[in-house]
Amino acid sequence: YWYFPMVFWLNSSDLAIQMTCWGGVLFSLFVIFNFIPRLSLIILYVLYLSLCTAGQFFMSFQWDTYLLEAGILAIFLPSPVGIWLLRWLLFRFMFEGGMVKMLSGDPTWHNLTALFYYFNTEPLPTPLAWYAAHLPDVILKIGAGGTIFIEAIVSFLILFPRRLRFIGTFAILFLQILILITGNYNFFNILTILLCLVSFDDAALRTILPKRLFVLKQKSLNCFVPQSLISVATSVFVIVTVSISLLQMDLRFGGSVPAPIASAYNMISPLRLVNLYGPFSVITTKRMEIILEGSNDGIEWREYEFKYKPGDVNRRPPWNIPHQPRVDWQLWFAALGPAQDNPWVARLMQRILENSPDVMALLGKNPFPEGPPTYMRAQFYEYNFSTPEEKAKTGAWWDRKWVDLYIPEVHLLHKP
């Protein structure tokens, strides 16, 4: 129970999952309207931790743990302790992101060509990614260097006095907005942008917030009255979480710790209170896509279309922020390795052959509306953004070429 903390030990039915989600909506509204906010944040943490634990690799993205950590630290707002803990989280997220790029050994970051490939190979690009991918090489190199500089160097300004902190925060905001408009990363960038708010003080907020809203904010601040027990618990939490975060960074950057400390860290890790960050430490230079196909006779094959991932080369990359289509995302990761390492893809094909309503609802286009096909296979294609000339001539956003079979032809032994 400790290593797999979730409410679904009590009940794991579909109804329990739906109640967990709707409970999250309800308690989120409680937080928005400042009704029992701390209790609501604790309940939200428990509910989302349950979904992350039960969802396994479908719910194991960095932004899931990022949201958990931000949510639990928000309990301490609006005290100075809460503000500094959230600033520390923002700093760690940015700094670790820059350092992993520098230390990964990835040549595209070292020679500043990462953005030559990034926009084409990111999991779910936005329409603007096509235009960004065709920017001049010099701008893309400046962008790659600027990303590392802001993440690894400018992020330290978050911990400095107000004017320097403001400069660092605006640089982070600028970077996050650029990422936001060129990639569908659900709430990842939005959460980082919101965390930037804690870098501004009341004097700065007074200049941008409506006067009435600021008065309401002040009233909320004045309601916080620390008690001795809460102060002790807060101090212990701060010492433990900050120590663990320093330990994580030390281990990531080549350090070592005594075995007892490592054991204690492993004991607390299932709670995901403190986490490691560092997206895109290595840039993939080719975009491989898994395309599912069905057939009734094994000769004529029709393609299944997902709602968000690339498929039809003429379809414009969609916007889906702040939603994250988990299956579309995981198919991007599955394409990075062989089918044997991703048995869930074959399971997905099985459910399509069984015409599962829940699974079919995840698809954007069903080429067999009259009933499921007899056979399925998974093809492997390499995708690249079309050139401006090709797009102007044909309207296609992508070019693709067949590479191999990902999963050969399969069928059900017993049709439902």
Side-chain angles (χ1 to χ4, degrees), residues 3-64:
Y3 287 107
F4 301 96
M6 57 181 176
V7 297
F8 301 118
W9 289 113
L10 304 174
N11 191 313
S12 59
S13 66
D14 286 352
L15 178 61
I17 297 173
Q18 293 176 15
M19 289 179 63
T20 299
C21 296
W22 284 110
V25 173
L26 175 64
F27 286 101
S28 295
L29 290 173
F30 285 178
V31 173
I32 290 172
F33 292 104
N34 203 31
F35 176 69
I36 54 170
R38 289 183 180 81
L39 177 59
S40 297
L41 284 167
I42 292 172
I43 294 174
L44 286 169
Y45 164 78
V46 171
L47 294 180
Y48 203 72
L49 178 63
S50 300
L51 291 170
C52 290
T53 302
Q56 302 175 59
F57 61 83
F58 283 97
M59 295 286 291
S60 62
F61 294 96
Q62 291 187 41
W63 36 88
D64 293 315

Side-chain angles (χ1 to χ4, degrees), residues 134-153:
H134 294 95
L135 289 171
D137 289 354
V138 63
I139 294 180
L140 295 176
K141 282 197 169 187
I142 291 173
T147 298
I148 295 175
F149 179 71
I150 291 174
E151 290 182 339
I153 306 299

